[in-house]
Structures are given as structure tokens and as C-alpha cells.
Amino acid sequence: MSLELTAIVRKDPAGGFVAFVEELPGANTQGETLEEARENLREAVALVLESNRALAEQSLVGADVIRERLIA
């Protein structure tokens, strides 16, 4: 998939880094190092998308819908 998101990373005064994705509420994390924060953020994005997909599927049970792949 070629979708691009914007990661925001801030140094935490208490130590480490805090990171979130501007376009995806709920995708936020932290890490002791910049690379750990980045890696954790990739995982957070995957988890938020997986969770949102499961919630959508539950809400559509029994509904007559068209499901198709979207590449953005």
C-alpha cells in the first residue's frame, strides 16, 4: 500500500520520545529511543487499523454492502 501518513515525534522532558500520527487518531506511543518510538508507532498504526476494521465488520453484520479494495 502506498498511503503516506505524518508521524510527529517529540522529545519527552522526562526522557525518551512521544510519537503520534496526525491523520490517525489513536495511533500514539512512546519509546526510550527515537528508533524505538518509530517502531512502536508503526505497530500502533497497524493495531488501530486492525481494530477499526473489526469494529466496522461488526457493525455491518447482515448488511448488504459492496466491499472492495482501496489503494490510496
Side-chain angles (χ1 to χ4, degrees):
M1 182 161 33
S2 61
L3 177 68
E4 290 187 26
L5 302 171
T6 306
I8 305 295
V9 182
R10 289 190 289 188
K11 190 153 180 69
D12 187 342
F17 295 86
V18 175
F20 66 95
V21 172
E22 265 183 346
E23 302 88 352
L24 190 58
N28 48 61
T29 191
Q30 59 187 19
E32 289 186 28
T33 66
L34 182 56
E35 186 51 42
E36 183 181 21
R38 287 176 176 149
E39 184 177 323
N40 291 345
L41 191 56
R42 283 188 283 277
E43 183 178 350
V45 167
L47 290 171
V48 167
L49 293 175
E50 181 181 319
S51 177
N52 286 349
R53 181 177 293 118
L55 289 170
E57 286 176 356
Q58 288 175 1
S59 72
L60 296 172
V61 170
D64 184 19
V65 300
I66 297 171
R67 184 180 299 268
E68 57 188 33
R69 186 171 182 169
L70 170 69
I71 299 175

